[in-house]
Every structure is written in structure tokens, then in C-alpha cells.
Amino acid sequence: MNAILHAQQLTKHYPGSIALDHVDFTANAGESIAIIGPSGSGKTTLLHCLAGILRPDAGAITLNTPSAPLRLDTLGDAALSRLRREEFGFVFQQGMLLPELTAVENVALALMLNGTDRGTSESRAAEWLGALGLAGMEQRRLGELSGGQVQRVAIARAQVTGARVVFADEPTGALDSATSNEVLDVLLRSVAANSRTLLVVTHDPNVAARCQRVVELRDGRIVSDSGSSSPASGQADRLAQAAPAAPTSFKGAFNV
Amino acid sequence: MSSLSMALRLTPYLARSSGSSLRETGLRDAGLPVLAFGTVTALLLTVAGGSQVFWSWSDDIAGTYQALAVVAMVLLIIPLLTLGASAARLAARRRDDRLASLRLLGANSATVVWMTVIESTVLAAVGAVAGAGLYACMAPFLGLIQFRGQAIGSHAWLSVPSILGCILAVCVLAAASAALGLRKVVVTPLGVRTRQTADGAHWVRGLIAAVVVVIGVVAMGMLSSFGAFIVIIAVMGGCFGLALLALNLMGPWILRLRASSQLKRAKRPEQLLAARTVLESPKESWRQVGGVAMTSFVGVFVGVGMAVADTMGPGATDETALLVRDINTGVMITLLGSFLMVACSAGVNQAAAVLDRASTLVALDRVGMPLKLMVAARVKAVMSPLFLVAGISAAAAAVLVLPLTGTVLLTQPVVFLTIGGVFAAGFLLVRLAVAAGTAQIGQVLARPERYASMDS
Ligand SMILES: Nc1ncnc2c1ncn2[C@@H]1O[C@H](COP(=O)(O)OP(=O)(O)O)[C@@H](O)[C@H]1O
Ligand SMILES: [Mg+2]
């Protein structure tokens, strides 16, 4: 197993509470990992630290890149921001898409921020939307899409740049259970088909059951970790096989 | 009105209960509306004080001066109303969490709206009093301005009742526009949201505008038949108002056309975002920058026209020459004033807009959108319509006086330099105000947990 993201003795305090208490954690390339635990146990804090959104008070975070390992905890704000848009993808419960943009523009924006020209960005964004079941809805604005469709746009946005790690914080938290399942399917399949690493914070046991590995937090500590050779991995392989076939022009985006 | 009395009882509680958090964020957020209302009040008092002397004259030419003073006031009142509405929205937004929790505690929507109106009126009152102070400081310098060859001197001082009346008027306008502006804001137990309404900017607006212009032209044509001088002034003021109305109908439509073409050509992310921001609500964009349209037109038209009249020299009487110079002075002051109004309103508007979508900005920061780019997109969304509006108006005026501009350019380049200087100063003012408004983005991102409660 090759580690892609590694955290050592991660600690984060807030006035009056300790959100992360000397956490050691390693994510392997291509794994799907569910982070579960009661509310306030530090799930979001862990995710944000690993993603370079929050700076830990103590501890080291290392991202293995093709060139050299990168220490996230020592990078400046601008470098972290760049890392987030180039190496990582995000799916939040809501709020990360711009309501005044169309679906395709929202997805293309992620590429444009990395310097891709607009034409290429929009055509690749449209391919992603098509692959995630939103063909024909490219020109709709967010207000004209259902909650589940909006989350598909977010999933496309998270991966269109070829992110190596996708972070999701309660991605289905605002959806009903049927839609929730569909969206989860789309997320897991597209991530697996592109061999990306997925870290998903969730309350939902169904979500956890469908990930290869489940990590449980309590009071800022990891109290259980199913490890990467869990029985659920068989299911993930099945998912990968059932993944939507990538259009040829897609390969660039899929093969990062 | 029980919701009003409830609001009256709750509002001071809201201000007191926030204690340290009010000191941290409330005062800073309140600064912008207070500053804006202060500037506006100072400006109104300055124009009123500067033109007061006109009403003490009773000769033939006095009427012309009085008419011009009325026009200047009309030009400044409209942006004032816009400002009032924006300030109220900002007041609602910066109280977001507390207003929402009051709703949770069972206060009804009307109570919450009343509280915001009261709060925004209080901010207006504080600003208006400060503005009156500013005016008092400026009055000695104002007295140095010359009309009809004489410094206005002590005429620059308004009577105390007039000043109080002006403060009261600003408060009333602030309250009224706050109430109107809040129609678009929904306070639910979950937070404060701006209601999204489909915002058409249809070509029908162009048609209505044309009809309005025709009515104005006809009325102006019949002007001489109206006899009484005061009626003529009223009709002129009315026609001027009609012209403004026509502009207001057409403005959003023009901004939309332009933003559509910018959207098609956009290459960089901030260009795309700025064009989409304008398209999202061309009316809102127009409200922010429309105030300079008429004044830009008048500024160039009168500025150039008067300069030409000035060069006619020997033939003109002393009195005419003085009138020419005075109109120029007044027009330039009004032009700068209208830029000042637009600047205030744009600054307040941006601050409100930033707080409005704070949780989205936090999310965008998290996915790696640079702060610089968020700011650049907002700046472009204001400045680009501003340049367009000022440019079109100035160009329209220039075309009308085109037969004259050529010679003026040769004989009096200083006229162009003056007008150019006023425009440059005006653009700079707006740019600074927008910078103050968008500085809120940095503050939002510095305390993301206040705004990003949705994803935990
Ligand atoms: N910005 C903050 N300020 C103060 N305390 C915080 C902040 N963010 C999180 N916490 C605290 O840290 C702990 C972990 O929070 P979080 O990571 O959001 O938990 P989870 O996502 O598991 O619900 C909680 O006790 C929470 O109250
Ligand atoms: Mg959380």
C-alpha cells in the first residue's frame, strides 16, 4: 500500500475543547475512507487539517506527490490555496457552487482557476456532467436543479481538475435517503474509476458501509480503524467495475 | 401595531446583549453605513448651503439659478434613496445570526423587519448628525465659492432649523427606503437571505423610456406658455425627473446587453464571474451606478457648452459671463457629488453583498479560489458598468455639442482637463469605496466558522 496522505500526532485545540488529540492517520492511494463518529468528535476538523484548510496546533501532515513529499503544515496560505485547487477536490453539504453561474460554468471554473482556457474547461466540464448523468442540463443554473443534481455538479467540480484526493463532508446530509443513495453511488463510482483517494465524513451508516475503510473518531481521537483490508473492499471493486465508462477525450481527466 | 412595539422593546436589547461581539464586528460593520449617511448629509447640506444665496435674489436671472439648484437636488436625492435601501440590507445582514435566533425564539417576521428598520434609521441619524458636523467644518470654505462674482460668504450657513430638517429628512428617507429594501430580505429561523426574484431587463423598458422622453420634450416645448415663473421651474424640474426616469428604465437593459457580450468574450475567471454578477441582476447593478448617468451627461454638455459661450467673449454681457462660469462651478460640484453618492452606495452595497453570500465565499476559499480573484470579480462587476454608464452619457453629450467641441479642444484644452479630472476623481472615489466594501471578504474568511455553519 502506498500512502498518499499521512498525519502524525495531529493536535488542534479550541478555547474550551480539544478537537484533535494526537491523531495518527494514513490514507493510501485509491482508498475510500469513511470518517464517522458522534457530532463534535472532530471529524470536520480532521478533514480540514488533512485538506490544508485548517492549520493544526501541532503535528505533521505529509502529502506524497509524484515529485517529492510535501509538508502541508509548513506551507503558507497562498501555497495551501493553490494545493487545494490543484491536488484536491471537495464536496461539501452545500455552498461551494455559485448560484449565478450555470452548471457547466461552475465545473469549468475549477479548471479555469488552474489556468486552463475557457473553451477547453467548458468542454471538459460538459463531459463530466454528461458522465454523471446531467447531460442536457449544462446550461441550467443551480436554482433550476434538484438537490441531488446540484451535488452531482459538485462531484464533477471536485474531480474535473484531476484531483488526487477528494474530500467530502456530509455530502448527502441535505438529501432524502433515495437521492442520497444515488448521489453516493455517483461519488463512489467516479472516484473509484479514476483511482482517486476519497475521504468522506458521514453520519450515515449506509455511506460508511460502502467505503473500503471506516475510521471512527470520539473526543478527538481515533477509536477504531477497520484498516484497508476490510470486508467492504470487495464491494468497492464491484463498484469500480460498474463505473461509468470514460469518454475518450475524458482520459486526460480520468488518468491523473 | 404590536409588532412595532415589540420591536421597539427588543432593539436596544439586541444592541446591548451583543456586548463583546458588537465591539468586534458590529461597530466595524456599522462604520460603513454611518460613513455613507454622513457623507450624503454633508453633501446635501453643502448643496443646500451653496445654493441658498440664490433664493435671496429677486432679479431676472435669479430664476435660472433657482432652477439649477432644484435640478442639482433632484440629481442627488435618487442615489440617496438607493443608499438607504442598501444600508438597511447591510443592517439586516450584519445581524444575521441574532435576528434569526429571535425568529427561532418566536418573534414574528414583522417584528424583525421593524427592528432592522429602527436600527438602520438609528445608523442614519448618527451619520446625519456627523454629516452636519462635517458640513459645519466645511462651511467657511464653502463661503469662498463665488457666484455672480461674489463669494457667498455667510450665505453658506444654513439656519439651525434647516439643518435639523435636513437631518430629519435623511432619517425619514432612510427609514422609508429601509422598509422598501427589506421587502427583498427574508428572515427565517435559519438565517437572513435575500429573496431571489427573476430580474427581467426587457426591451419594453426601452420603449417606455422613449414615450417618457417624448412627454418630456412636449412639456419642455410648451414651457413658455406656462406664464408664472415658479410653474416653469416646476415643469423643468419635472421634465428633468422624467428624463431620469427614462434613464432608469433603459439603464438595466443596456447593462444587461453589455454583460451578455462580456460573458461571451470572458476568458479569465474574474471576467466570467463579473459578467454573471451583472446578469444576475442588471437592475441591482444599475441602482449602484445609475446615479452618475445624468450628471455625466449634464457635466459634459454644460461644461463644454459653457466654455464655448465663454469664448464668445466681447459680445456677452458681464452678467452672462458670470452665469456661464457659475453654472460650470455648480455642475462640476454636482458631478463630483453624484460620484460621491455612487461611491457611498457602492461601498455599502458591496459590504452587504459580501455578508449576503458569506458562506459561499468561505466554501470557495476552501476549494482554493484565491481571495484576490473574489475581490477582482466584485470590483469589475461595479467598475465596468460604471465606466459604461459614465462613458455613454458623456459621449452622448459630446455628440450633441460636437459641432462646438472641436474648436473648444483647440482653444480651451483646460475645459477637457477639468471635466476629465472630475471624472477621474469620481472613478477613484468609487474604486476606493468598493475596496472598503470588498475588504469585508477578508474579514469573512478570517472567521469562517461564523459563516460556514452549514457543513458541520
Ligand atoms: N471554530 C471553532 N471554534 C470553537 N470550537 C470549535 C470550532 N470548530 C470546532 N470546534 C469544536 O471542536 C470540536 C470538534 O468539532 P468538529 O470537527 O466540527 O466535529 P464534527 O465534525 O465531528 O461534528 C467540537 O467540540 C467543536 O465544538
Ligand atoms: Mg462536522
Side-chain angles (χ1 to χ4, degrees), chain B residues 36 45 81 134 153 175 239 264 290 321 350 367 401 419 434:
Chain B
L45 289 171
L81 289 174
L134 183 63
C239 286
K264 284 198 198 87
Q350 287 309 309
V367 304
V401 285
I419 297 175
V434 172

Side-chain angles (χ1 to χ4, degrees), chain A residues 44 48 51 53 80-82 84-85 88 90 92-102 105 109 112-113 116-118 122 139 141 157 169-170 203, chain B residues 196 262-270 272-273 276-277 279-280 357 359-371 373 378 453-456:
Chain A
T44 296
H48 283 181
I53 291 172
L80 281 177
S81 174
R82 179 166 173 196
R84 294 197 297 264
R85 66 179 176 265
F88 297 156
F90 297 90
F92 300 139
Q93 197 172 61
Q94 58 186 74
M96 61 181 297
L97 300 170
L98 286 160
E100 65 267 31
L101 300 192
T102 61
E105 284 167 349
L109 188 63
M112 290 173 72
L113 288 178
T116 310
D117 71 82
R118 186 172 169 201
E122 292 202 347
Q139 299 306 326
R141 303 200 324 160
R157 190 199 198 282
D169 196 347
E170 317 247 7
H203 270 124
Chain B
Q196 294 300 326
Q262 282 179 330
L263 177 70
K264 284 198 198 87
R265 282 182 288 111
K267 289 198 177 67
R268 293 146 53 82
E270 68 271 24
L272 175 72
L273 292 174
R276 277 293 182 199
T277 305
L279 283 175
E280 174 83 351
R357 46 186 36 215
S359 63
T360 301
L361 293 171
V362 167
L364 290 174
D365 173 55
R366 286 177 175 169
V367 304
M369 184 183 288
L371 167 65
L373 197 137
R378 297 221 139 255
S453 51
M454 309 308 281
D455 64 326
S456 58

Side-chain angles (χ1 to χ4, degrees), chain A residues 9-130:
Chain A
Q9 295 292 298
L10 221 49
T11 301
K12 179 80 189 172
H13 292 272
Y14 284 111
S17 70
I18 179 161
L20 291 178
D21 186 2
H22 299 91
V23 170
D24 289 315
F25 173 80
T26 302
N28 295 310
E31 256 182 339
S32 58
I33 306 170
I35 302 173
I36 62 168
S39 180
S41 56
K43 305 182 294 294
T44 296
T45 308
L46 176 62
L47 197 79
H48 283 181
C49 285
L50 292 173
I53 291 172
L54 262 183
R55 235 175 258 283
D57 296 335
I61 303 160
T62 314
L63 173 75
N64 279 327
T65 70
S67 43
L70 255 182
R71 279 283 297 276
L72 263 57
D73 50 298
T74 61
L75 290 180
D77 284 348
L80 281 177
S81 174
R82 179 166 173 196
L83 187 80
R84 294 197 297 264
R85 66 179 176 265
E86 290 181 353
E87 301 282 342
F88 297 156
F90 297 90
V91 185
F92 300 139
Q93 197 172 61
Q94 58 186 74
M96 61 181 297
L97 300 170
L98 286 160
E100 65 267 31
L101 300 192
T102 61
V104 73
E105 284 167 349
N106 262 299
V107 177
L109 188 63
L111 281 167
M112 290 173 72
L113 288 178
N114 288 345
T116 310
D117 71 82
R118 186 172 169 201
T120 312
S121 299
E122 292 202 347
S123 60
R124 263 208 258 166
E127 284 165 6
W128 264 99
L129 291 176

